[in-house]
């Protein structure tokens, strides 16, 4: 699984011009499900994100979790995180899991994150064309890939 985490002051998702989900201060998770992902991937990534200390404390140190600040989570499925850009000019998506398997893993990840954090987890609309707006705090953006890829590309 691949996740791009953004520490936000707020984030929203619209589908067909209609508000679908929104959060205040918290973490926006853009989630890519790969062909090799399993329930073990869900557990590893959800555990890593739960309690992740990426918010500033009173001294300005990144020492507080989303739970510590009473923050919220918004998880949006984004298969383009699984794109292969190593060949040519057009992304390849062979590494992205197809529905319905990817949707099931996405939903199970959201459920598991909610259980582990004790916080509500809002979601995008799987498979829809969405407009995601955010106010990145910091800016602070983090990349997670679990299990870690052995195919690191150096440019």
């Amino acid at each position: 699984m691949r996740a791009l985490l953004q520490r936000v002051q707020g984030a929203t998702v619209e589908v067909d011009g209609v508000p679908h989900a929104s959060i205040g201060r918290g973490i926006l998770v853009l989630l890519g499900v790969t062909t090799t992902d399993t329930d073990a991937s869900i557990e590893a990534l959800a555990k890593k994100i739960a309690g992740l200390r990426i918010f500033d404390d009173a001294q300005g140190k990144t020492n507080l979790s989303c739970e510590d600040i009473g923050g919220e989570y918004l998880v949006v499925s984004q298969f383009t995180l699984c794109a292969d850009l190593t060949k040519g000019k057009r992304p390849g998506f062979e590494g992205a899991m197809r529905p319905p398997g990817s949707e099931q893993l996405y939903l199970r990840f959201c459920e598991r994150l909610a259980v582990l954090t004790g916080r509500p987890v809002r979601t995008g609309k799987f498979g829809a064309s969405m407009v995601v707006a955010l106010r990145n705090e910091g800016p602070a953006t983090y990349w997670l890939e679990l299990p870690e890829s052995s195919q690191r590309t150096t440019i």
Side-chain angles (χ1 to χ4, degrees):
M1 294 194 123
R2 297 175 178 177
L4 185 73
L5 310 177
Q6 302 218 338
R7 187 177 74 186
V8 298
Q9 291 181 347
T12 61
V13 174
E14 288 183 5
V15 179
D16 297 326
V18 177
H20 178 77
S22 66
I23 62 169
R25 191 171 187 217
I27 298 176
L28 169 63
V29 179
L30 303 175
L31 184 71
V33 179
T34 70
T35 56
T36 60
D37 287 326
T38 64
D39 285 334
S41 308
I42 292 169
E43 188 66 17
L45 189 63
K47 279 184 176 177
K48 183 68 174 182
I49 293 172
L52 192 63
R53 298 183 311 163
I54 62 171
F55 290 89
D56 295 346
D57 63 16
Q59 290 74 43
K61 303 272 186 195
T62 53
N63 209 22
L64 300 175
S65 69
C66 193
E67 298 83 76
D68 292 334
I69 65 155
E72 302 175 272
Y73 291 91
L74 174 59
V75 181
V76 176
S77 176
Q78 188 169 346
F79 79 96
T80 59
L81 290 178
C82 302
D84 179 357
L85 299 172
T86 59
K87 299 175 192 159
K89 298 290 184 180
R90 186 170 183 267
F93 296 103
E94 295 79 19
M97 185 181 287
R98 305 281 188 251
S102 55
E103 182 175 15
Q104 292 167 356
L105 289 180
Y106 162 72
L107 293 173
R108 288 203 302 267
F109 170 82
C110 294
E111 291 167 2
R112 189 66 183 137
L113 184 61
V115 168
L116 289 171
T117 62
R119 307 292 305 155
V121 173
R122 310 273 190 272
T123 64
K125 184 175 181 184
F126 187 90
S129 179
M130 296 172 271
V131 174
V132 180
L134 66 129
R135 291 182 313 281
N136 191 307
E137 181 180 300
T141 303
Y142 302 91
W143 173 259
L144 277 173
E145 185 170 359
L146 296 176
E148 289 189 27
S149 174
S150 60
Q151 297 177 332
R152 296 279 179 210
T153 303
T154 304
I155 297 176

